[in-house]
Amino acid sequence: KNVEISDILRNNLTRINVDTLDHLRIHPTSFASLKHLKLDFQDYSGIISKTLGDYIKHLTTLTTLSLIFRYYDLCDNGLNEIGDVLPQLPSLKELCLRFDSCSDLTKNGLDALCTFIKNISSLKILSLIFRGCTSIDEKCVSDLKMQISNSILLDSLKIHFTR
């Protein structure tokens, strides 16, 4: 499906594959008025920090962000890259991160995740979904939940884990 900039701005970009962003050749400032954004990194081969970094710094009004990583070789370093850009969202209230079959994601990555979540000062609602991430287990996810609960005051924290 072709995505036009007018559709993106009018519909608040309910969902877009990140590869599409790379091909749109739209200046990142065009996204400045978005309040809700869902990005799908399915089979994405680009560099997360470059793609997100170009757009994130202009999303000063964004309140809701959903990032979906499906069958993506997201490793612990990738989470560090994400952590470098998300705290730059001054209005972010709700964050959903979904990891499907990210087999290179480990406990070290979850620790990095916890660290950068603590740095998102406006965050009120957090949802983390882990499906088929074979390098982590229930204990890792339970530890993550405890770390987050003990370090940041949220209105809602939901963490779902299935192998």
Side-chain angles (χ1 to χ4, degrees):
K1 177 183 175 189
N2 290 332
V3 179
E4 300 292 331
I5 186 63
S6 59
D7 293 335
I8 291 170
L9 297 176
R10 185 174 50 252
N11 297 321
N12 252 344
L13 189 59
T14 55
R15 184 173 182 177
I16 189 168
N17 188 292
V18 176
D19 282 325
T20 306
L21 271 182
D22 290 344
H23 298 295
L24 285 175
R25 301 196 195 296
I26 299 170
H27 195 274
T29 56
S30 301
F31 293 89
S33 65
L34 289 178
K35 295 199 180 300
H36 309 281
L37 178 62
K38 180 185 266 187
L39 292 176
D40 190 334
F41 288 86
Q42 181 172 354
D43 298 323
Y44 182 62
S45 58
I47 300 169
I48 292 175
S49 59
K50 171 73 172 119
T51 301
L52 283 180
D54 288 347
Y55 290 90
I56 292 280
K57 61 187 171 191
H58 298 288
L59 298 174
T60 57
T61 61
L62 192 72
T63 60
T64 304
L65 177 63
S66 180
L67 301 177
I68 303 166
F69 302 96
R70 288 191 275 182
Y71 311 104
Y72 181 76
D73 292 331
L74 181 73
C75 60
D76 298 340
N77 289 337
L79 273 177
N80 285 324
E81 292 175 7
I82 295 167
D84 289 342
V85 295
L86 289 186
Q88 298 175 35
L89 296 170
S91 302
L92 187 64
K93 304 262 187 265
E94 184 173 350
L95 175 63
C96 178
L97 299 175
R98 179 174 159 181
F99 305 92
D100 289 351
S101 300
C102 295
S103 58
D104 293 334
L105 184 61
T106 70
K107 179 170 178 5
N108 290 337
L110 296 186
D111 290 342
L113 179 67
C114 183
T115 299
F116 82 71
I117 286 171
K118 288 190 247 182
N119 293 326
I120 306 172
S121 59
S122 58
L123 194 63
K124 296 295 178 200
I125 299 170
L126 176 62
S127 177
L128 302 173
I129 302 164
F130 303 94
R131 294 184 179 145
C133 300
T134 56
S135 296
I136 59 173
D137 57 21
E138 286 187 41
K139 170 117 175 63
C140 294
V141 175
S142 177
D143 290 347
L144 173 67
K145 185 174 185 176
M146 185 180 301
Q147 285 178 324
I148 292 171
S149 296
N150 290 336
S151 61
I152 184 171
L153 182 62
L154 296 169
D155 293 340
S156 175
L157 172 61
K158 295 179 184 173
I159 299 180
H160 179 75
F161 173 77
T162 56
R163 274 221 179 239

